Structures are given as structure tokens and as C-alpha cells.
């Protein structure tokens, strides 16, 4: 008795096994979480150190350099980048993919702490932040008002809204992006001089008279009472009345020599929503959190927050990444349902019998649901990739049911009873089903063990698909034969439609058999044709556009506009307003958010959000040229438009980032970068190219006359403190207001610091006690410096940022720059990549290598199954036929060579190998029955033609919903759909003629005499 006989003879057992698969599968689906992609730990640790007033050169040498040198010793760092600008040092450590976020943060914290004593005393303590996941927040919530000032909005949010959002499960940080309150003391240099005071005197008085005391308590034998005191200053009025200087006849208060106000901590940046000053709350995910769950919690809380806002404070949600995720997943689920329906209709049309179609109709959903149990056991989630794998699985899992039903049906047509036909048919197909199942699992195994971004993303894809195929194989050997023995009609009871289908396939098989017999009379031309096809694959790959993933229509376009290095906030706001006006005229516009001066002192960054997909007729790709034309007319800013990256893990910024590094100074780097920028623009490969820095930022060097300073009894420290106190804008103390602390920042009024010559009117106190004009000890020297002193892996760097032209892929852009690097870069210079281009470069040919590894694994698995080194080679000759078919369409521009098309190519390996297994396994059986090789393979191919057509057609039509997909995620679904549909269609057609030719030449001739006397157990020869 064969294994399959048990389930045919015990139908209750067969049903119980299937019901158990159904139950655990449904339970598993209910337990799994839904998310966009598999969990990735993509951690970036940012160390920010403020030193108000310090030059970029000082920042780099005394803050950035020692800190990044220590941070570089930490483990798990992919690359280290830094930026030193006036008053700020920023160091970013991009960790290796899936490196533990907590370990990264802890180690970098310890490295930074070890260097604190090396930093200047006046520098503020480094602030360390860690973000895991996307470089962007999950959501940006805008709060704005027509009457409230931005600091008031920020203060309200910090007290009332931020704590509520921060308390939500899965929220790592609810970050406020907006101006905060600060006590601003606007000094008047002339008034200071009139009362014989300096900025140093003011700073000292503010520190001494705004003192936060920890008094303690009184305590006797039985009673203790806490003590507080009012040594600090709590409001603007008290600050104004602070006594700065007192003589016998005069009292000088702070309001006499300065304007005191509760203003903003900074006046260098502002956030805008639809052009209105705003404060944003950025919702950042904690590591491993489900974005859909977190977004749902935030949106559930928003109505409660909104109901408690002041009447003149409004709230909007301009950016919510979960909308795209949710819509994309719904689209894939819709595609999944459509594919199941289409496949089952095709199965019915091919079998011609509603009863026969019932069996695949049960097997397909049961296999998909059962596969969920394997997903849960492996810790997977329901995400875009696992759902996409289930769409592909439809065409694979239906194969097993089809070939079982078709084979049993063939025996019924030959006159056997339903039960006998089921027993014989299941026995015949048990080995091929097992072989095909193991083959498909073997094909995807190499993907599951890949590293890097592609491996992290597609491990769940591969094992989900393999799991569904395994469940399908179990159902095909347990449930399908039993159902066939019960529901198929006996011979002679066929309907007219069923008879017509039978007749159609019989004619098709006979026609094919005759054409094949003619074709294999001379196998040499067929083999030569196959070799030409094989060679052509290489050239088609070279001619295909290459990118990491197709760009999706997410309904939001990011923009980055840069002004001149001298640009003020007012300058940026002026042109930002023009940009806002231009955006509102573009079709499909919904809203915009804009961060002015936040990402860079002279930059405007934001997003153009389109209406939902259901409310617009224009796509993101159609609107990009219109937007670019609109911003091109805004001459005050050099603006780039770019989409959000399709895959997680990018370090942010423009799509193309080519980093030049050297130990040389920035002047040489800038000259080399100019050559690259010129070559890039002339090539036509880019629509936008810029350097990350320019050596055009004006700087006035204050040259101190050391001898004159010494004559006056002054020190360089006093000169530096006087300048910093007037111009630096750093805080000197904090004050308490309603339970929260705020900075106290003295600085001269803006009118008194408009030009360097204004320093001539500043005064310092000489050793004699007299005030001396600062102009008497300093002179001015005008120069230019880098707009930012950037480094990459501790070397000076300039990043060439760009956007590839619409017809140019990321791979082509990278290849062009690499070629130019060979010609342009002198000794001592090198290059690297950041952002999406780094992802592409790191992924490289990983999946291409995996394709070859999959071929090797499947060859070895087939060799073990067939106990032959020849048969696997014959079976796999169908692979280049199908890959060539897919590559032809990719080369013609229907898709690019990306991770989705490459996964499609890997899928083709397993699918077309199944066809080869059906033919070769049956041809070997016929040889054992006495046929010669030629007759055996012709007959086997003709008999297996129907199941091969049905299984191939089922998978091809399962791709139709992917090919006509629209909306969120459509580009990636189309890429994998076109690859499988074209590759399988063309590959199957070629395989049906090429494989028999190779079988005739390479297959081992089976000597039937060796089988005599061995109790031949081969199944009855089909007629």
C-alpha cells in the first residue's frame, strides 16, 4: 500500500487533517501583526553639540574631531558622517542593519562621555539621540493659530499634548519641531557704554541674581519643614527690574540698558503648514513597533486632543506614513482575492468540469491559510512582501491540485473506476509532487539565508512562499485524491462542455506531438538555438536599467530648496511663500509642510502632499515635471524635488549621493567636486546636481592686536567673552516659569550687529577700569569658508547630491560616476555612497548571485531525487528559456532590473523546473516500459502537455491583477508580475521543444533488461 492510498481509503482522516490545517491557519492569521515590511533595525545615533558663536573651524577641531574619533571605536557602525557649522557640531553614526539599537546607543554614550573633559568649557553638553527605522517620523502633526505665537503653541504642546502622545505604546518620542520660549535680553551697546557697563557685567549680574537655590529644611525633634526661597527670577517684569549697578545717586536696572521679552529660543528657523507658522509633533516609533498600530492609537487620541485645544489653536495631520501602508496592504489583499478568483475560473475552463474545479477551489485557499501557521511559527508578520508571496503562491499551490486531478481524470477517461483511478493516479504523481515541492523550497532557501537589506526584506517572502508550497504538497497527497475519488464523474457521463474541452486538449496534444516529432528529427539546431538564448541573457541584463526598487506613488513629493550662504530666515520665508503659492496652483495639491532653516541654515525642506488616490486622476510621476517647472521660476532658491524612498533603511537626503573623501583641505575637494558636477550635468544623466558644500560663505575674521590688548591689561579670554556676550546668542542661565525651566539669552539688538563695523561701538573694560572701544584693539579681514565642514568616516568630504533623469536608472547613474572617478580623482582621493545609492551599491549583485546559488541548490536536490547527474541538467535547461523571456521585456523597458524582478526570476526557476520534472520523470518511466529515448520523451511531453498548460496558465493569469494594479504599491507588484507572466509564458513555449531535444541527447538510455526479474513496480502505462 502506498502512502496516498491511506487517505483515499480513509476519507474521514483526510478531512480531519485538512480541517486541522484550516483551524491552525485561521488562528495564526488572527495572531499575526500587520505592517509594511518585515521588522528591520536600522539605527542612526546622532550626537549634537552646541557651542554658540564658535566658528565652524573651531567646532570641527575642538568638538567634532575628538568626539567622532571616540565614537568610531564603537562596534557595529556602517559609516560615520559629521557636519561642523557655526555654533553646532552634528555627528551621525549609521549602524549596520539589524545591529541592536540599545547596544549601539549605550556604547556611543560611553564613548562620548569619555571625551567630555576634552571639550571646551563653554560648549554645551553633547545631546545624544537614537532613531530606529525610517529616517522620517511615522507622523507629523501640525498645530497652528492665527492669534497665538509659535513659542506659545510649542509651550502649550509641551505641557498638554506631548505627554499624552509620549505615553502611547510604541511611541519612542513625540518630538516638538518649533520655537520654544526663552527670556531674551536685547542689549543696547550705547546705553551700556553710557552707564559704564559691558556685556560681561550683564552676564555676571544675571547669573548672580537669577540663582536657583536648594535651601533644604528646618527640623526639630518632632517636626520638619521644607524651605524655599526666591533667589531666582520668575517673570519678565522681575528681570526688567533687576539692579545691574547702583551708586549713591543712581540705580541702573536691566530695562535701562536692554529690552527684555519672553521671546523665542532661536530666530533662525521656523516650521510652516500651508504657509502658516506652526509647531509640528513628530511621532517616532520605538524599535520593533508596528507602525499601523501606533498610527491607529495616535489617530484615536487626536479627537480628544482637538476637543481640549484652545479655541484659536488648530490641528492637522499633513503626513501619515501609515496611510500608504494601509492602502498598499488593502490593495495586495484585493489582488490576492482577485487572483484566487481568476485562477479558479481558468481551472474550471481547462478541466471543463465544475466538479473537477471544486478540488483546486478547496486546495488553493486551504494552502494559503495553512501557510499562515508556518509564518507564525517563524515569527513573521502580514506585510507587503509576505502578502505578495501569497499572491505568487496561488499559481504554485494550484499546480499540485491540478496535476493530481488531471491525472486521475485521465485514468477515468481510460475506463477505470473513480476509486481505482484515484489510487493509480495518486501513486503516479506522488513522487513528482514531492519532487516539485522540495524543488520549490530549495529554490527559495538561498534567499532566506541572504544578509543585508535584501536578505532582511525577502527572508519572510521566501519562507512564506515555501511554507504555502509545503502545505499545498500535503493537501495534494492527502485531500485532493480523496476528493477526486468522490466528486469526479465516472467515465461516459461527461457534459457537452467537458467533452468539448477534452476534444480541444486532445487535438492540441496530437498537434504538439506531431510538431515535436518533426522538430527532434534534427536536434542540433534546437540545441544551438538554446545556446544562443542562453548567451543572450547576459547581453539583455547589461542593456537593462538597474535600480534597487521601483519608485512608488506615495502621494507625497519631498522638496529641498537651498538659498545663498548669506540667506536669513526672512529671505527663506519670502521664497518659501512664493513656493507655497506656486504649489497651490498645481493639480492634485492637497497640503504642504515646510521646515525653514531647520535642516540647514540656508535651506527649506518640506513635502508636497497630493490628494488621496481615490480623489485624483493624476499620478505622482505625472505631476513631478509640473512641480519642477513651478519651482524653477523661484530664482531665490535652488530646489530639488524627489520621491520618498520605496524601501526602508535609507539614510535620507536626495536619491543619489556620491561622497568624495580625502585628507586634503576643502579647497581641493571643492575643485574636484566641481569637475564631477560639470560632468554629471553635461552627461544628461541627471535632472538636478549640487554639492553638499560650497566655499562661498562670507566670513569676517576679527584680528585682535595682542600687544595693544596687553598694554590695556586685558586678556584674550576677556576679548572673547566680550564678543560672545554681545553676539554669541548662547544662554547663560535658566529661569523657572510655571514649573518649567527656560533659557536666559543676552545678545545685542539686531540693528547693532548688522555689519562687522558695528563692533567698533562695543566697549570692554581695561585694567584701569575705563571702557575702551573694541575697535581700538581689533581689525577685520574678509574671507570665505566652506558652508559646512563635513566629514565622512573621519575624512574631509564633499557629497555630490543628485536626482537621476527619468530615463536613467540608479545603476546607470552610479556606473557613470564610477567611470568618471577613474578619470578625475587624483591620488589621495576616494569615493563612497550614501542614501539610496548606498543601498543599491551594497546590495549590488547579491540577488544575481542568489539566482545562481538557487540553480546550484535545485540541481543538487534534483540529482538526489533522480539519482542522476544528467536528469537535473535536462530539467533545468528550461530555466534559461524562461529567464530569457522575462529579460526581453525588462530590456525593452517594461520594468527595470530590481529586487522585485530578480525575485521573480528566482520564482521562475522553481516553476519551470516543475514542468521539466513532469516530462523527465514520466519519460524515464516510459523508458523502463520499453520505449526508446526519443519515443519516450515525445509521448511524455504530449501526455504532460495538459497539466503543464494548466499550471502555467494558472500562474500567468494569477499575475493579471499585478499587471493591471493601480494605486499604492502598484509599481513593485507590476515588476514582479511582468517578470513571471512573460518569463513563464515564453519559457514554457520554448521549453516544450527544447527540453525534449536535450533529453534525447543527454538522457541516460535505460536498459530494460536490467529491470527484468526485479519485480517491476512501475505503474501501469497510460494509454
Amino acid at each position: 500500500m502506498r502512502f496516498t492510498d491511506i487517505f483515499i481509503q480513509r476519507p474521514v482522516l483526510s478531512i480531519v487533517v485538512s480541517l486541522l490545517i484550516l483551524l491552525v491557519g485561521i488562528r495564526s492569521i488572527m495572531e499575526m501583526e500587520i505592517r509594511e515590511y518585515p521588522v528591520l533595525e536600522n539605527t542612526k545615533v546622532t550626537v549634537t553639540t552646541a557651542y554658540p558663536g564658535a566658528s565652524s573651524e573651531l567646532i570641527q577641531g575642538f568638538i567634532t574631531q575628538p568626539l567622532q574619533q571616540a565614537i568610531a571605536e564603537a562596534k557595529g557602525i556602517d559609516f560615520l558622517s559629521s557636519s561642523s557649522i557655526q555654533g553646532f557640531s552634528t555627528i551621525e553614526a549609521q549602524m549596520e542593519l539589524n545591529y541592536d539599537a540599545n547596544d549601539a546607543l549605550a556604547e556611543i554614550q560611553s564613548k562620548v562621555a569619555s571625551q567630555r573633559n576634552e571639550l571646551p568649557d563653554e560648549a554645551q553638553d553633547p545631546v545624544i539621540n537614537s532613531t530606529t527605522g525610517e529616517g522620517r517620523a511615522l507622523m507629523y502633526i501640525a498645530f497652528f493659530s492665527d492669534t497665538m505665537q509659535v513659542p506659545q503653541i510649542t509651550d502649550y504642546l509641551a505641557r498638554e499634548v506631548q505627554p499624552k502622545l509620549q505615553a502611547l505604546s510604541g511611541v519612542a518620542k513625540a518630538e516638538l519641531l518649533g520655537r520654544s520660549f526663552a527670556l531674551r535680553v536685547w542689549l543696547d551697546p550705547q546705553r551700556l557704554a553710557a552707564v559704564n557697563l559691558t556685556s560681561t557685567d550683564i552676564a555676571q549680574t544675571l547669573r548672580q541674581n537669577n540663582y536657583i537655590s536648594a535651601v533644604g529644611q528646618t527640623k526639630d525633634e518632632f517636626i520638619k519643614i521644607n524651605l524655599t526661597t526666591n533667589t531666582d527670577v520668575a517673570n519678565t517684569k522681575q528681570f526688567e527690574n533687576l539692579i545691574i549697578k547702583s551708586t549713591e545717586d543712581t540705580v541702573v536696572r536691566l530695562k535701562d540698558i536692554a529690552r527684555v521679552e519672553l521671546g523665542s529660543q532661536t530666530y533662525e528657523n521656523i516650521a510652516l503648514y500651508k504657509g502658516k507658522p506652526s509647531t509640528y509633533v513628530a511621532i517616532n516609533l520605538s524599535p520593533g513597533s508596528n507602525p499601523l498600530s501606533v498610527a491607529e492609537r495616535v489617530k484615536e487620541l487626536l479627537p480628544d486632543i482637538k476637543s481640549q485645544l484652545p479655541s484659536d489653536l488648530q490641528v492637522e495631520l499633513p503626513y501619515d506614513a501609515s496611510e500608504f501602508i494601509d492602502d498598499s496592504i488593502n490593495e495586495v489583499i484585493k489582488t490576492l482575492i482577485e487572483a484566487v478568483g481568476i485562477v479558479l475560473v481558468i481551472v474550471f475552463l481547462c478541466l471543463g468540469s465544475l466538479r473537477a474545479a471544486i478540488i483546486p477551489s478547496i486546495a488553493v485557499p486551504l494552502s494559503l491559510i495553512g501557510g499562515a501557521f508556518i509564518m507564525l511559527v517563524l515569527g513573521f508578520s502580514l506585510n507587503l512582501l509576505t502578502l505578495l508571496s501569497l499572491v505568487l503562491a496561488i499559481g504554485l499551490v494550484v499546480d499540485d491540485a491540478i496535476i493530481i486531478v488531471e491525472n486521475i481524470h485521465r485514468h477515468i477517461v481510460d475506463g477505470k473506476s473513480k476509486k481505482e483511478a484515484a489510487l493509480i493516479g495518486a501513486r503516479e504523481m506522488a513522487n513528482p509532487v514531492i519532487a516539485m515541492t522540495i524543488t520549490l523550497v530549495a529554490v527559495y532557501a538561498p534567499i532566506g539565508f541572504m544578509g543585508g537589506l535584501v536578505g532582511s526584506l525577502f527572508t519572510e517572502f521566501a519562507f512564506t512562499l515555501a511554507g504555502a508550497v509545503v502545505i499545498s504538497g500535503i493537501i495534494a497527497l492527502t485531500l485532493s485524491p480523496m476528493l477526486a475519488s468522490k466528486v469526479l464523474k465516472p467515465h461516459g457521463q461527461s457534459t457537452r462542455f467537458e467533452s468539448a474541452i477534452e476534444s480541444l486538449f486532445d487535438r492540441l496534444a496530437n498537434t504538439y506531438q506531431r510538431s515535436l516529432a518533426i522538430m527532434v528529427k534534427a536536434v542540433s539546431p534546437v540545441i544551438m538555438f538554446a545556446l544562443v538564448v542562453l548567451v543572450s541573457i547576459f547581453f539583455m541584463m547589461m542593456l537593462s536599467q538597474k535600480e534597487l526598487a521601483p519608485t512608488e506613488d506615495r502621494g507625497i513629493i519631498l522638496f529641498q530648496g537651498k538659498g545663498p550662504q548669506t540667506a536669513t530666515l526672512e529671505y527663506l520665508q519670502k521664497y518659501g511663500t512664493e513656493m507655497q503659492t506656486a504649489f497651490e496652483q498645481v493639480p492634485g495639491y492637497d497640503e504642504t509642510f515646510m521646515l525653514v532653516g531647520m535642516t540647514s541654515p540656508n535651506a527649506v525642506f518640506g513635502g508636497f502632499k497630493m490628494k488621496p488616490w481615490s480623489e485624483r486622476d493624476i499620478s505622482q510621476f505625472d505631476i513631478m515635471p509640473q512641480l519642477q517647472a513651478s519651482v524653477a521660476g523661484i530664482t531665490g532658491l535652488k530646489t530639488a524635488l524627489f520621491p520618498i524612498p520605496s524601501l526602508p533603511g535609507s539614510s535620507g537626503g536626495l536619491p543619489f549621493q556620491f561622497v568624495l573623501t580625502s585628507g586634503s583641505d576643502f579647497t581641493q575637494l571643492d575643485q574636484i567636486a566641481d569637475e564631477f558636477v560639470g560632468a554629471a550635468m553635461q552627461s544628461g544623466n541627471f535632472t538636478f546636481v549640487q554639492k553638499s558644500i560650497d566655499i562661498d560663505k562670507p566670513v569676517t575674521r576679527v584680528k585682535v592686536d595682542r600687544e595693544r590688548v596687553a598694554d590695556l591689561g586685558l586678556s584674550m579670554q576677556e576679548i572673547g567673552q566680550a564678543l560672545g556676550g554681545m553676539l554669541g546668542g548662547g544662554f547663560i542661565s535658566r529661569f523657572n516659569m510655571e514649573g518649567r525651566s527656560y533659557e536666559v539669552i543676552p545678545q545685542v539688538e539686531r540693528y547693532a550687529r548688522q555689519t562687522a563695523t558695528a563692533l567698533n561701538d562695543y566697549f570692554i573694560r581695561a585694567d584701569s577700569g575705563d571702557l575702551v572701544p573694541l575697535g581700538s584693539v581689533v581689525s577685520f579681514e574678509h574671507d570665505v569658508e566652506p558652508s559646512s565642514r563635513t566629514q565622512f568616516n573621519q575624512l574631509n568630504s564633499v557629497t555630490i547630491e543628485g536626482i537621476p533623469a527619468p530615463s536613467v536608472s540608479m545603476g546607470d547613474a552610479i556606473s557613470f560616476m564610477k567611470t568618471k572617478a577613474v578619470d578625475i580623482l587624483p591620488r589621495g582621493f576616494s569615493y563612497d555612497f550614501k542614501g539610496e545609492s548606498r543601498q543599491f551599491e551594497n546590495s549590488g549583485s547579491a540577488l544575481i548571485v542568489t539566482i545562481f546559488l538557487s540553480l546550484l541548490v535545485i540541481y543538487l536536490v534534483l540529482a538526489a531525487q533522480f539519482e542522476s547527474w544528467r536528469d537535473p541538467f535536462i530539467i533545468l535547461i528550461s530555466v534559461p528559456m524562461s529567464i530569457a523571456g522575462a529579460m526581453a521585456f525588462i530590456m525593452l523597458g517594461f520594468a527595470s532590473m530590481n529586487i522585485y524582478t530578480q525575485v521573480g526570476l528566482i520564482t521562475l526557476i522553481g516553476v519551470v523546473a516543475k514542468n521539466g520534472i513532469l516530462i523527465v520523470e514520466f519519460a524515464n518511466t516510459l523508458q523502463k516500459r520499453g520505449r526508446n529515448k526519443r519515443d519516450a520523451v515525445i509521448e511524455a511531453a504530449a501526455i504532460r502537455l495538459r497539466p503543464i498548460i494548466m499550471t502555467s496558465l494558472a500562474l500567468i493569469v494569477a499575475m493579471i491583477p499585478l499587471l493591471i494594479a493601480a494605486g499604492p504599491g502598484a509599481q513593485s507588484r507590476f515588476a514582479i508580475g511582468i517578470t513571471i507572466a512573460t518569463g513563464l509564458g515564453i519559457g514554457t513555449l520554448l521549453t516544450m521543444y527544447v527540453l525534449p531535444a536535450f533529453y534525447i541527447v543527454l538522457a541516460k538510455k535505460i536498459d530494460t533488461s536490467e529491470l527484468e526479474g526485479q519485480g517491476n513496480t512501475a505503474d501501469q502505462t497510460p494509454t
Side-chain angles (χ1 to χ4, degrees):
M1 180 183 292
R2 295 292 184 88
F3 170 76
T4 53
D5 296 356
I6 299 173
F7 298 97
I8 297 172
Q9 295 172 352
R10 299 184 62 185
V12 174
L13 173 62
S14 174
I15 294 173
V16 167
V17 170
S18 297
L19 287 177
L20 286 174
I21 291 174
L22 180 66
L23 289 174
V24 298
I26 292 174
R27 181 61 179 170
S28 299
I29 292 173
M30 295 170 62
E31 290 293 322
M32 281 188 291
E33 64 176 11
I34 301 174
R35 56 193 315 127
E36 183 178 15
Y37 288 112
V39 178
L40 296 177
E41 284 208 33
N42 180 48
T43 304
K44 179 168 68 177
V45 180
T46 305
V47 181
T48 306
T49 310
Y51 188 177
S55 68
S56 61
E57 190 174 13
L58 188 153
I59 292 286
Q60 183 183 28
F62 289 86
I63 295 180
T64 304
Q65 193 59 39
L67 285 179
Q68 71 177 355
Q69 193 169 357
I71 293 170
E73 298 173 2
K75 297 178 182 176
I77 295 177
D78 180 24
F79 67 87
L80 200 63
S81 61
S82 67
S83 171
S84 303
I85 61 174
Q86 180 90 4
F88 285 96
S89 164
T90 303
I91 302 171
E92 293 181 348
Q94 185 70 47
M95 310 308 294
E96 294 172 352
L97 191 65
N98 292 327
Y99 189 84
D100 187 87
N102 294 324
D103 289 349
L105 183 60
E107 189 165 6
I108 288 177
Q109 280 178 330
S110 67
K111 298 296 182 183
V112 171
S114 69
Q115 296 298 307
R116 184 60 187 94
N117 292 335
E118 302 295 324
L119 306 183
D121 294 336
E122 295 80 3
Q124 297 175 16
D125 288 336
V127 177
I128 304 174
N129 283 315
S130 172
T131 57
T132 300
E134 292 295 311
R136 302 169 305 280
L138 173 68
M139 308 168 83
Y140 289 94
I141 310 170
F143 293 84
F144 55 96
S145 172
D146 292 329
T147 58
M148 296 175 66
Q149 297 296 315
V150 172
Q152 290 177 284
I153 298 174
T154 306
D155 196 61
Y156 173 83
L157 297 178
R159 294 173 183 271
E160 302 290 340
V161 176
Q162 188 182 33
K164 295 178 182 178
L165 293 170
Q166 195 85 49
L168 294 176
S169 175
V171 176
K173 182 199 296 185
E175 182 181 3
L176 297 179
L177 301 176
R179 294 176 175 177
S180 300
F181 273 135
L183 197 287
R184 302 304 299 242
V185 180
W186 300 111
L187 302 173
D188 186 325
Q190 299 301 322
R191 290 186 182 182
L192 281 174
V195 295
N196 199 33
L197 290 172
T198 67
S199 62
T200 306
D201 298 330
I202 304 302
Q204 184 177 358
T205 302
L206 287 173
R207 291 191 187 98
Q208 292 174 347
N209 291 280
N210 178 35
Y211 183 75
I212 300 172
S213 304
V215 182
Q217 60 184 202
T218 62
K219 183 176 182 181
D220 66 6
E221 186 176 358
F222 296 105
I223 298 173
K224 62 180 180 181
I225 297 177
N226 294 335
L227 300 178
T228 62
T229 184
N230 62 342
T231 58
D232 61 331
V233 184
N235 56 55
T236 306
K237 191 74 171 176
Q238 292 179 2
F239 270 103
E240 287 180 336
N241 291 322
L242 277 179
I243 297 175
I244 305 299
K245 180 179 179 182
S246 177
T247 62
E248 293 181 359
D249 53 352
T250 59
V251 174
V252 180
R253 299 182 185 274
L254 185 59
K255 63 183 178 181
D256 297 326
I257 46 86
R259 179 170 60 89
V260 182
E261 68 171 357
L262 186 62
S264 295
Q265 186 182 33
T266 179
Y267 291 93
E268 300 300 321
N269 56 59
I270 193 169
L272 303 174
Y273 171 72
K274 287 187 172 181
K276 296 180 180 180
S278 312
T279 294
Y280 285 90
V281 180
I283 305 298
N284 293 297
L285 288 173
S286 57
S289 296
N290 187 342
L292 292 176
S293 301
V294 174
E296 185 178 357
R297 296 185 196 109
V298 172
K299 284 186 272 194
E300 287 175 355
L301 182 62
L302 273 181
D304 178 60
I305 291 174
K306 193 172 184 177
S307 66
Q308 299 180 38
L309 292 177
S311 58
D312 52 352
L313 183 58
Q314 302 176 60
V315 59
E316 292 291 343
L317 183 58
Y319 179 76
D320 178 8
S322 69
E323 290 179 353
F324 177 82
I325 300 171
D326 200 32
D327 289 341
S328 298
I329 288 174
N330 289 336
E331 284 291 329
V332 177
I333 292 174
K334 176 185 171 185
T335 300
L336 184 63
I337 296 170
E338 290 173 348
V340 170
I342 293 172
V343 166
L344 296 182
V345 169
I346 292 298
V347 169
F348 165 69
L349 294 176
C350 289
L351 292 174
S353 167
L354 189 59
R355 291 192 176 196
I358 289 174
I359 300 171
S361 301
I362 295 173
V364 170
L366 189 57
S367 299
L368 299 180
I369 294 171
F373 172 69
I374 295 178
M375 292 172 61
L376 182 67
V377 170
L378 295 175
F380 296 167
S381 62
L382 287 172
N383 55 64
L384 292 177
L385 296 179
T386 53
L387 288 172
L388 186 59
S389 74
L390 292 177
V391 174
L392 299 187
I394 295 169
L396 301 178
V397 301
V398 76
D399 288 4
D400 295 332
I402 286 175
I403 62 175
I404 289 289
V405 172
E406 191 277 336
N407 203 45
I408 293 173
H409 174 74
R410 183 168 57 82
H411 284 293
I412 291 175
V413 171
D414 289 344
K416 297 182 177 62
S417 68
K418 292 194 296 182
K419 187 171 183 179
E420 183 183 6
L423 289 169
I424 295 174
R427 290 172 189 169
E428 287 180 346
M429 299 311 299
N431 286 339
V433 167
I434 293 172
M436 290 187 295
T437 300
I438 295 174
T439 297
L440 278 173
V441 172
V443 165
Y444 287 105
I447 297 181
F449 296 103
M450 283 179 65
L453 176 65
V454 177
S456 299
L457 288 175
F458 281 94
T459 292
E460 293 193 11
F461 175 95
F463 287 156
T464 297
L465 193 53
V469 169
V470 169
I471 299 297
S472 170
I474 294 171
I475 292 170
L477 297 177
T478 57
L479 181 65
S480 296
M482 184 277 293
L483 289 176
S485 70
K486 302 294 183 183
V487 303
L488 294 183
K489 292 180 180 180
H491 179 56
Q493 297 185 15
S494 302
T495 63
R496 182 177 299 177
F497 178 70
E498 189 175 355
S499 299
I501 295 295
E502 289 292 332
S503 176
L504 174 64
F505 274 104
D506 286 343
R507 290 198 303 273
L508 188 61
N510 291 333
T511 301
Y512 165 68
Q513 188 169 0
R514 287 194 299 271
S515 65
L516 180 61
I518 296 171
M519 187 73 69
V520 296
K521 284 182 179 179
V523 296
S524 298
V526 178
I527 293 175
M528 287 300 298
F529 170 78
L531 293 176
V532 169
V533 170
L534 178 63
V535 173
S536 71
I537 293 175
F538 172 79
F539 295 100
M540 286 190 286
M541 283 190 173
M542 292 298 102
L543 294 173
S544 300
Q545 289 194 332
K546 301 174 183 65
E547 60 183 346
L548 189 60
T551 302
E552 297 290 355
D553 182 353
R554 290 178 174 261
I556 186 166
I557 300 170
L558 301 180
F559 58 86
Q560 176 179 285
K562 282 194 174 183
Q565 298 301 328
T566 54
T568 62
L569 180 62
E570 289 77 9
Y571 178 98
L572 297 176
Q573 273 191 277
K574 175 183 182 298
Y575 289 104
T577 302
E578 289 186 24
M579 194 181 295
Q580 174 68 35
T581 304
F583 286 162
E584 291 174 356
Q585 310 306 314
V586 177
Y589 168 80
D590 188 22
E591 54 191 344
T592 51
F593 61 90
M594 204 176 291
L595 305 178
V596 183
M598 288 189 176
T599 56
S600 177
N602 65 322
V604 176
F605 173 82
F608 174 97
K609 185 179 179 183
M610 304 177 69
K611 293 177 181 178
W613 291 269
S614 58
E615 299 178 20
R616 57 181 163 97
D617 300 323
I618 190 168
S619 73
Q620 173 181 308
F621 312 107
D622 295 331
I623 214 169
M624 284 279 281
Q626 298 183 44
L627 271 182
Q628 191 67 61
S630 297
V631 299
I634 302 172
T635 56
L637 296 173
K638 185 180 179 182
T639 306
L641 300 167
F642 53 98
I644 292 177
S646 299
L647 296 179
S650 171
S651 56
L654 269 60
F656 182 84
Q657 296 182 56
F658 184 77
V659 187
L660 296 174
T661 61
S662 175
S664 303
D665 60 29
F666 284 99
T667 302
Q668 288 183 274
L669 270 170
D670 185 65
Q671 292 171 353
I672 298 296
D674 282 336
E675 293 188 51
F676 276 100
V677 170
M681 290 305 296
Q682 290 176 8
S683 69
N685 290 325
F686 298 88
T687 58
F688 181 90
V689 182
Q690 67 179 12
K691 298 178 295 182
S692 60
I693 68 169
D694 288 289
I695 305 182
D696 62 354
K697 185 172 185 177
V699 59
T700 300
R701 305 191 188 281
V702 182
K703 311 291 287 187
V704 182
D705 187 337
R706 291 178 177 270
E707 292 188 6
R708 177 63 176 154
V709 167
D711 291 341
L712 294 172
L714 294 170
S715 67
M716 301 303 281
Q717 180 182 8
E718 290 172 309
I719 299 293
Q721 287 176 344
L723 287 170
M726 290 283 196
L727 303 169
F731 78 94
I732 58 170
S733 65
R734 293 180 178 272
F735 78 103
N736 175 60
M737 183 175 68
E738 298 180 8
R740 287 179 179 265
S741 70
Y742 300 88
E743 295 178 352
V744 178
I745 305 174
Q747 193 175 24
V748 297
E749 288 272 19
R750 184 166 180 174
Y751 77 85
R753 50 187 168 92
Q754 290 180 341
T755 63
T757 55
L759 273 64
N760 293 324
D761 297 327
Y762 297 173
F763 290 85
I764 55 175
R765 194 179 306 283
D767 193 34
S768 63
D770 298 329
L771 293 185
V772 178
L774 194 60
S776 65
V777 295
V778 300
S779 60
F780 305 108
E781 183 180 287
H782 301 289
D783 199 357
V784 291
E785 67 173 0
S787 54
S788 173
R789 297 180 185 273
T790 54
Q791 293 187 309
F792 187 86
N793 288 336
Q794 302 187 71
L795 292 173
N796 291 341
S797 68
V798 175
T799 301
I800 297 170
E801 305 168 312
I803 301 173
S807 60
V808 178
S809 68
M810 180 64 76
D812 293 337
I814 288 177
S815 297
F816 171 79
M817 294 300 271
K818 282 184 172 181
T819 303
K820 284 298 174 185
V822 175
D823 300 331
I824 296 175
L825 285 184
R827 190 181 184 89
F829 288 75
S830 59
Y831 65 86
D832 211 318
F833 296 92
K834 289 172 65 177
E836 291 179 64
S837 47
R838 186 178 185 85
Q839 285 183 311
F840 179 88
E841 187 69 9
N842 287 344
S843 299
S845 57
L847 266 176
I848 299 296
V849 173
T850 303
I851 290 175
F852 286 103
L853 185 59
S854 295
L855 280 171
L856 178 59
V857 170
I858 198 173
Y859 176 83
L860 295 176
V861 169
L862 290 172
Q865 290 174 341
F866 282 82
E867 193 58 32
S868 168
W869 298 109
R870 299 184 185 186
D871 289 351
F873 183 83
I874 299 169
I875 291 170
L876 294 181
I877 201 64
S878 57
V879 171
M881 303 299 105
S882 60
I883 289 180
M887 286 305 307
F889 280 79
I890 293 173
M891 181 191 66
L892 292 173
F894 287 88
S896 63
M897 196 68 174
N898 56 62
I899 57 176
Y900 292 101
T901 52
Q902 290 172 18
V903 168
L905 294 177
I906 294 175
T907 302
L908 285 175
I909 295 174
V911 173
V912 298
K914 291 176 70 173
N915 296 340
I917 290 171
L918 287 175
I919 295 174
V920 171
E921 189 272 342
F922 198 40
N924 288 345
T925 300
L926 292 177
Q927 275 205 74
K928 294 176 183 177
R929 306 256 172 81
R931 310 288 204 284
N932 60 45
K933 284 198 298 182
R934 184 179 180 278
D935 293 342
V937 75
I938 292 174
E939 183 177 349
I943 291 175
R944 294 303 190 213
L945 177 66
R946 184 173 183 176
I948 288 174
I949 289 177
M950 290 172 64
T951 56
S952 299
L953 192 60
L955 184 53
I956 290 172
V957 298
M959 297 299 103
I960 290 177
L962 300 182
L963 297 176
I964 61 174
Q971 302 299 316
S972 55
R973 298 200 299 275
F974 178 83
I976 199 167
I978 191 72
T979 303
I980 293 176
T982 56
L984 185 56
I986 297 173
T988 300
L989 178 63
L990 297 179
T991 297
M992 296 306 294
Y993 290 97
V994 171
L995 188 144
F998 274 85
Y999 186 91
I1000 292 171
V1001 174
L1002 298 178
K1004 181 181 179 182
K1005 182 179 180 181
I1006 299 176
D1007 188 356
T1008 55
S1009 63
E1010 295 179 3
L1011 301 174
E1012 294 178 2
Q1014 295 182 12
N1016 188 358
T1017 58
D1019 299 306
Q1020 183 177 346
T1021 304
T1023 59

